[in-house]
């Protein structure tokens, strides 16, 4: 009887209502809709509805197939990946996907995307032996390959073979929603792609079946965080991304409810190791010594309910967690930093330029606190406050900044972390980094990889390419009528629906 009851429950569950249009408030206008060309989360949030990758991540952060039929066949001691493609997949322009499209897309990815450039170093060849197969040969075993192919920024999305121009000329993918209209600084309007073919397996995180219950999704840039909060309180938007944590109490008196992702990730100050003040590792170490992470986190998040002071790149509970190197974190001693700067030959005349934005309000608040500590250490500080789209453009030019502020979710594969890529803004390269990452990335056994990651984190703290401030929880808001939205680092709205 119990078994019969359990089996009958799915049949009794009401099918979500089909139809409706939602407005989603984002922190600003994405600088591009080409997911290969940007690592900005804002680009990934929008573009993941339009474009798809061969693989993606399931609810437990394991790699699962999306446009690939299944996980690859791996041979020759981990150096050859044979990938079978799903059949009957249609692009938004009406053409049918085959291996020629995938082959051209992966080659564009190696050229255009920072993560593709990272992978290109160990890719010997990519071939399409037939219309439904892709074969990737590596120069050496490389454990992060599938995670790189699955990730949704600097993403290995599949485009029509005829649409390889860079910059992208046509926004055409295979995703559940197609681009209907874009009015810069007003909205990006997506409409259901009627010829979309979802996977037959159950919805599973970003993977599995992607149901198109909503008719349209409109992403609306709302750069001012207070305006986003007031829009959430008034019920102006179905979903509001990135709510300042101090505003959570305001939601209780309004029409929206808080959506919390705990833990979400880490705020990070990226150092320009290529040019300027921060190209000197001694000065980077002085910055690490000067900064007080707890004061910065209090300024950014207000209460310990939303943050943790933690120097480990992954918190406890993650398989990658290690304390290696973290004794250098959290010192918060400007006087000691000043002594280190003097020993490094710094005369205090060159300004330290910090690039930040107020669209993520916690970035700006942490920058203000950091600036005061760094002034006490002897740096004249120049705080350059710009909109997020401008920041993502300026960080590409090493002549324009010394530190820029961003944040990252805790990613399922450490090699996906931006600073681990030689070509990511910050441009951290060194023999020690190369050696530690090579050992880590060439090992397939998860337990051995976890042990080797301690060596990667040690080099991170030895060379200070970035300053991890701590851990934090992310808060968004949604209308109670919006159903089927699972808290996620990059919120997605396939499987979402509006209640009657």
């Amino acid at each position: 009887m119990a078994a019969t009851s359990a089996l009958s429950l799915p049949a009794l569950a009401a099918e979500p209502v089909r139809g409706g249009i939602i407005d989603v408030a984002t922190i600003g206008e994405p600088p591009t809709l080409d997911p290969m060309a940007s690592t900005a989360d804002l680009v990934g949030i929008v573009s993941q509805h339009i474009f798809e990758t061969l693989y993606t991540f399931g609810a437990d952060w394991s790699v699962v197939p999306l446009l690939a039929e299944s996980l690859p066949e791996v041979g020759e001691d981990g150096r050859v990946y044979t990938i079978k493609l799903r059949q009957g997949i249609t692009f938004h322009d009406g053409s049918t996907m085959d291996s020629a499209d995938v082959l051209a897309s992966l080659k564009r990815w190696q050229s255009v995307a920072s993560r593709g450039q990272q992978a290109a170093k160990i890719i010997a060849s990519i071939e399409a032996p037939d219309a439904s197969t892709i074969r990737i040969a590596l120069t050496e075993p490389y454990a992060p390959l599938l995670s790189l192919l699955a990730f949704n920024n600097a993403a290995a999305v599949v485009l029509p073979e005829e649409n390889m121009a860079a910059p992208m000329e046509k926004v055409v993918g295979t995703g559940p929603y197609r681009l209907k209209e874009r009015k810069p600084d007003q909205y990006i309007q997506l409409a259901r792609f009627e010829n979309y073919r979802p996977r037959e397996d159950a919805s599973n995180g970003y993977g599995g079946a992607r149901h198109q219950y909503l008719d349209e999704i409109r992403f609306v840039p709302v750069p001012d965080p207070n305006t986003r909060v007031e829009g959430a309180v008034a019920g102006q938007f179905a979903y509001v991304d990135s709510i300042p944590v101090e505003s959570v109490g305001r939601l209780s008196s309004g029409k929206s409810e808080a959506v919390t992702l705990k833990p979400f990730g880490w705020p990070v100050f990226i150092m320009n190791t290529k040019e300027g003040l921060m190209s000197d590792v001694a000065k980077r170490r002085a910055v690490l010594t000067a900064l007080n992470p707890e004061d910065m986190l209090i300024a950014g998040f207000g209460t310990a309910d939303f943050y943790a002071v933690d120097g480990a790149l992954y918190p406890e509970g993650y398989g990658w967690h290690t304390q290696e190197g973290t004794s250098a974190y959290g010192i918060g001693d400007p006087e000691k930093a000043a002594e280190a700067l003097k020993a490094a030959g710094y005369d205090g005349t060159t300004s330290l330029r910090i690039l930040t934005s107020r669209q993520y309000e916690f970035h700006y608040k942490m920058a203000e606190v950091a600036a005061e500590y760094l002034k006490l250490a002897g740096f004249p500080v120049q705080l350059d406050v710009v909109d997020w789209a401008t920041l993502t453009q300026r960080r590409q030019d090493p002549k324009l900044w010394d530190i820029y502020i961003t944040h990252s979710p805790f990613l399922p594969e450490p090699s996906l972390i931006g600073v681990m890529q030689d070509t990511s803004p910050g441009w951290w390269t060194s023999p020690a980094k190369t050696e530690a990452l090579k050992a880590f990335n060439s090992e397939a056994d998860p337990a051995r990889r976890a042990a080797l990651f301690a060596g990667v984190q040690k080099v991170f703290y030895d060379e200070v390419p970035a300053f991890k401030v701590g851990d934090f929880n992310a808060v968004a808001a949604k209308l109670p009528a919006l159903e089927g939205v699972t808290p996620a680092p990059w919120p997605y709205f396939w499987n979402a629906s509006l209640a009657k």
Side-chain angles (χ1 to χ4, degrees), residues 229 232-234 243 246-258 477:
V229 171
V233 172
I243 294 289
E246 67 269 20
S247 302
V248 171
R250 288 275 293 121
L251 298 179
S252 62
S253 61
K255 296 182 178 180
S256 297
E257 59 191 21

Side-chain angles (χ1 to χ4, degrees), residues 39-191:
T39 60
D41 287 344
L42 180 56
V43 174
I45 288 169
V46 177
S47 66
Q48 65 185 341
H49 297 81
I50 305 171
F51 303 98
E52 294 181 312
T53 46
L54 292 172
Y55 298 96
T56 188
F57 294 106
D60 63 354
W61 291 109
S62 61
V63 174
V64 296
L66 186 55
L67 289 176
E69 184 179 273
S70 58
L71 291 175
E73 177 186 324
V74 182
E76 297 189 27
D77 297 323
R79 291 185 292 108
V80 176
Y81 289 66
T82 301
I83 301 169
K84 287 294 183 181
L85 307 176
R86 292 172 62 203
Q87 300 300 294
I89 302 299
T90 305
F91 288 107
H92 299 158
D93 64 2
S95 61
T96 301
M97 183 194 80
D98 63 17
S99 62
D101 302 301
V102 178
L103 178 61
S105 297
L106 292 178
K107 289 184 175 181
R108 182 182 190 269
W109 179 62
Q110 291 181 88
S111 172
V112 171
S114 61
R115 301 186 197 284
Q117 294 164 9
Q118 176 185 354
K121 296 177 181 179
I122 49 85
I123 293 177
S125 65
I126 307 177
E127 301 173 338
D130 59 52
S132 62
T133 308
I134 287 290
R135 184 170 295 129
I136 302 174
L138 308 180
T139 58
E140 59 192 53
Y142 189 68
L145 179 63
L146 290 187
S147 292
L148 285 170
L149 293 175
F151 203 35
N152 79 339
N153 67 35
V157 295
V158 177
L159 312 171
E161 184 183 12
E162 301 78 19
N163 191 23
M164 294 296 125
M168 179 179 284
E169 295 177 350
K170 297 179 181 179
V171 181
V172 175
T174 61
Y177 290 86
R178 59 177 178 80
L179 179 65
K180 181 177 180 180
E181 184 178 22
R182 181 181 188 182
K183 288 193 174 182
D185 299 316
Q186 294 185 51
Y187 58 80
I188 297 169
Q189 191 166 7
L190 309 184

Side-chain angles (χ1 to χ4, degrees), residues 18 164 220 310 324 376 386 396 445:
R18 184 178 171 89
M164 294 296 125
V220 182
D310 182 12
E324 188 69 42
L376 291 173
V386 298
Q396 302 295 331
D445 180 76

Side-chain angles (χ1 to χ4, degrees), residues 305-475:
D305 291 341
F306 293 100
Y307 73 81
V309 180
D310 182 12
L313 297 185
Y314 284 85
E316 290 187 20
Y318 282 78
W320 307 116
H321 175 73
T322 172
Q323 290 294 332
E324 188 69 42
T326 58
S327 60
Y329 167 85
I331 295 173
D333 189 338
E335 291 184 4
K336 185 175 180 180
E339 294 172 3
L341 287 173
K342 185 177 180 180
Y346 177 61
D347 62 8
T349 59
T350 305
S351 293
L352 179 64
R353 300 162 299 169
I354 300 178
L355 183 61
T356 190
S357 169
R358 295 200 73 159
Q359 283 160 267
Y360 293 107
E361 185 71 5
F362 66 96
H363 289 189
Y364 175 73
K365 290 180 176 179
M366 290 188 300
E368 286 189 307
V369 174
E372 295 307 311
Y373 273 93
L374 293 170
K375 288 174 185 176
L376 291 173
F379 285 110
V381 177
Q382 175 182 318
L383 201 59
D384 294 331
V385 185
V386 298
D387 64 83
W388 185 248
T390 300
L391 185 149
T392 62
Q393 293 167 352
R394 286 195 185 180
R395 69 184 179 185
Q396 302 295 331
D397 187 342
K399 299 185 183 304
L400 298 180
W401 58 278
D402 298 302
I403 295 173
Y404 85 85
I405 302 173
T406 185
H407 66 270
S408 172
F410 293 116
L411 301 174
E413 163 59 54
S415 291
L416 296 176
I417 298 171
V419 75
M420 299 300 173
Q421 301 160 52
D422 294 351
T423 58
S424 181
W427 305 282
W428 175 39
T429 59
S430 76
K433 173 191 177 183
T434 299
E435 182 181 355
L437 278 176
K438 184 174 182 179
F440 174 66
N441 289 332
S442 62
E443 176 57 63
D445 180 76
R448 292 178 182 173
R449 293 194 79 217
L452 287 166
F453 183 65
V456 176
Q457 184 169 291
K458 181 180 185 302
V459 176
F460 177 90
Y461 272 103
D462 285 345
E463 302 190 352
V464 201
F467 170 66
K468 179 196 172 183
V469 186
D471 305 336
F472 78 105
N473 307 330
V475 181

